[in-house]
């Protein structure tokens, strides 16, 4: 593994670390800012809205002008957002800092995937996406664990860590990508690049699948931390961090394997395995009552999403050889829109009923996502068959 690919994996860690740390800090942030759980969870939306929207252009810009400049600018902005959060005296400034963080990493995320598409052979791309997803899963796992431990001292320490991490990654990008080579850089402008990326066969149903996958997954995860702090479990932040952290670790362990399954047996088989596990786990969560049961069901959910993302991310950078950044931008913008909307969309359901209703609705969303992946795969296979016939 070369240093560039390793840096991509390590950079994939910081955003999910920051976001999932907030999920474990909900009870502490409620007390600090005298706010309700939905108000605190609005920080997920304030992060994800600029994150999703700005991703639409960042990958396309990197196709036209190179990856290094955009990635380093994004890491710098993310570090500034972390500093704003550390010094925030009230909820409004905390939310503003989260928005700045989201805007910053929006410039980074599509570029990480496009760079893997540039650097890694297609036969190993699923494995590479699996490792990248494993790094994200490590952030998912360690965020709640670190946040739970630091909450005993000061929750702001979490965002000191994210700011320092981003600055280190920034300088490593400047060093390792000094030549900023892109395998195929189009000559068109950003708008044209985006338009051509959006016309790639299979991108629309793949985007729908990504949106529904995050909507279903985050819809459940957003309210689990608050649920665990309420009767009958009454868990504090440290124990909530343990539950979410162990579930996240299962994603770290399975990600390399899920990527290899995608490479060996095909993208659709990998996705089908993942959605099957997602649907089962979402239904099992509705009948969980103990800490152990929540650990097991949430771990199964994390394993399922790992299979889903390894296959879908690899597919997203295979759709167009020339416009990897643009396609990655479009796919990430749509899928993270599901992440952004989930806490807001599911809040009325959670307030009116309980987590069981969220589990049922999320399971239906996972079924719809699987159908969308199947449609995307049919379209991509048809395009590849046409290209093979024209080549002969």
């Amino acid at each position: 593994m070369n240093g560039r690919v390793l840096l991509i994996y390590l950079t994939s860690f910081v955003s999910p670390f920051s976001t999932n740390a907030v999920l474990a800090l909900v009870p502490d942030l409620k007390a600090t800012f005298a706010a309700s759980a939905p108000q605190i969870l609005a920080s997920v939306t304030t992060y994800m809205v600029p994150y999703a929207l700005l991703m639409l252009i960042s990958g396309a810009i990197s196709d036209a002008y190179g990856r290094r400049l955009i990635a380093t600018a994004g890491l710098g902005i993310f570090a500034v957002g972390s500093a704003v959060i550390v010094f925030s005296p009230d909820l409004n400034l905390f939310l503003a800092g989260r928005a700045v963080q989201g805007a910053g990493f929006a410039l980074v995320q599509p570029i990480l995937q496009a760079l893997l598409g540039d650097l890694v052979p297609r036969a190993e791309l699923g494995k590479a996406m699996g490792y990248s997803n494993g790094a994200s899963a490590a952030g998912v796992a360690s965020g709640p664990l670190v946040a739970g431990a630091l909450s005993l001292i000061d929750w702001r320490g979490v965002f000191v860590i994210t700011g320092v991490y981003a600055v280190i990654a920034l300088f490593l990008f400047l060093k390792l990508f000094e030549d900023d080579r892109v395998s195929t850089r189009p000559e068109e402008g950003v708008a044209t690049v985006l338009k051509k990326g959006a016309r790639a066969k299979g991108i629309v149903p793949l985007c729908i699948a990504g949106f529904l996958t995050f909507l279903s997954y985050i819809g459940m995860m957003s309210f689990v931390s608050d649920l665990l702090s309420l009767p009958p479990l009454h868990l504090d932040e440290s124990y909530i961090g343990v539950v979410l952290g162990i579930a996240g670790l299962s994603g770290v362990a399975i990600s390399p394997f899920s990527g290899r399954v995608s490479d060996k047996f095909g993208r659709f088989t990998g996705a089908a395995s993942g959605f099957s596990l997602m649907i089962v786990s979402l239904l099992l969560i509705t009948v969980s009552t103990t800490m152990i049961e929540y650990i097991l069901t949430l771990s199964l959910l994390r394993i399922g999403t790992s299979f889903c993302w390894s296959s879908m991310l690899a597919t997203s950078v295979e759709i167009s050889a020339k416009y990897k950044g643009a396609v990655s931008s479009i796919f990430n913008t749509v899928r993270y829109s599901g992440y952004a909307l989930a806490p807001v969309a599911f809040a009325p359901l959670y307030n009116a009923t309980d987590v069981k209703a969220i589990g049922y609705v999320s399971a239906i969303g996972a079924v719809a996502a699987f159908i969308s992946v199947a449609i995307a795969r049919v379209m991509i296979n048809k395009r590849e068959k046409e290209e093979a016939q024209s080549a002969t």
Side-chain angles (χ1 to χ4, degrees):
M1 183 185 301
N2 66 47
R4 292 184 174 191
V5 174
L6 179 59
L7 177 58
I8 292 168
Y9 296 155
L10 293 175
T11 306
S12 300
F13 170 91
V14 67
S15 179
F17 174 88
S18 174
T19 301
N20 283 271
V22 170
L23 295 181
L25 290 172
V26 168
D28 209 28
L29 293 170
K30 284 167 62 178
T32 300
F33 297 125
S36 65
Q39 286 176 312
I40 298 301
L41 288 169
S43 67
V44 175
T45 301
T46 57
Y47 181 97
M48 285 296 166
V49 167
Y51 185 58
L53 293 178
L54 288 177
M55 269 197 285
L56 183 60
I57 62 171
S58 59
I61 292 173
S62 78
D63 276 341
Y65 304 109
R67 320 281 194 213
R68 178 175 179 257
L69 176 64
I70 310 304
T72 52
L75 288 166
I77 294 169
F78 183 90
V80 170
S82 297
V84 171
I85 292 172
V86 169
F87 296 104
S88 58
D90 54 43
L91 180 60
N92 289 333
L93 199 58
F94 174 81
L95 296 176
R98 292 290 289 161
V100 173
Q101 279 190 318
F105 216 79
L107 302 181
V108 180
Q109 182 64 44
I111 293 172
L112 298 179
Q113 291 162 21
L115 282 170
L116 285 176
D118 291 336
L119 298 171
V120 178
R122 179 167 181 169
E124 300 177 4
L125 190 55
K127 181 177 72 173
M129 291 299 178
Y131 278 114
S132 178
N133 193 52
S136 297
V140 171
S142 59
L145 288 172
V146 173
L150 288 178
S151 68
L152 301 176
I153 305 170
D154 192 332
W155 59 264
R156 298 172 195 269
V158 172
F159 298 99
V160 173
I161 292 173
T162 62
V164 172
Y165 194 103
V167 170
I168 293 172
L170 187 158
F171 282 107
L172 288 174
F173 258 96
L174 290 174
K175 177 66 176 177
L176 295 179
F177 288 90
E178 189 173 0
D179 57 354
D180 191 26
R181 293 176 182 169
V182 179
S183 59
T184 54
R185 182 177 296 170
E187 297 177 357
E188 301 97 328
V190 172
T192 302
V193 168
L194 272 176
K195 189 180 296 183
K196 292 187 176 181
R199 290 174 178 169
K201 285 190 176 180
I203 184 61
V204 172
L206 188 68
C207 285
I208 293 172
F211 175 88
L212 292 172
T213 301
F214 255 147
L215 187 73
S216 300
Y217 174 65
I218 299 300
M220 175 58 71
M221 295 301 297
S222 293
F223 296 95
V224 163
S225 58
D226 192 50
L227 178 71
L228 294 174
S229 70
L230 300 174
L233 293 179
H234 292 290
L235 300 184
D236 62 23
E237 290 91 337
S238 59
Y239 281 102
I240 292 172
V242 169
V243 173
L244 299 181
I246 292 175
L249 285 172
S250 66
V252 178
I254 203 66
S255 288
F257 175 74
S258 66
R260 288 188 175 94
V261 168
S262 173
D263 284 334
K264 186 172 182 179
F265 299 104
R267 309 297 183 219
F268 180 75
T269 300
S273 302
F275 283 115
S276 298
L277 293 174
M278 272 192 72
I279 294 163
V280 170
S281 61
L282 287 166
L283 295 176
L284 287 175
I285 289 171
T286 65
V287 295
S288 297
T289 56
T290 68
M291 181 175 170
I292 296 299
E293 288 174 348
Y294 276 108
I295 288 174
L296 293 174
T297 53
L298 292 173
S299 295
L300 186 63
L301 177 59
R302 192 67 188 87
I303 290 170
T305 58
S306 178
F307 274 89
C308 294
W309 291 131
S310 292
S311 295
M312 285 193 284
L313 289 171
T315 301
S316 72
V317 296
E318 291 171 343
I319 285 178
S320 173
K322 190 175 182 181
Y323 302 102
K324 292 186 184 77
V327 172
S328 180
S329 279
I330 294 165
F331 177 65
N332 279 287
T333 292
V334 176
R335 76 178 180 121
Y336 278 108
S337 295
Y339 197 133
L341 292 174
V344 176
F346 282 94
L349 190 62
Y350 182 65
N351 290 334
T353 57
D354 56 24
V355 75
K356 291 184 179 181
I358 293 177
Y360 297 141
V361 174
S362 295
I364 294 171
V367 171
F370 174 59
I371 294 171
S372 297
V373 165
I375 295 171
R377 195 67 254 173
V378 169
M379 295 175 68
I380 294 167
N381 289 344
K382 183 179 179 182
R383 187 258 300 169
E384 290 178 344
K385 184 177 180 180
E386 291 171 351
E387 289 176 351
Q389 289 175 344
S390 63
T392 57

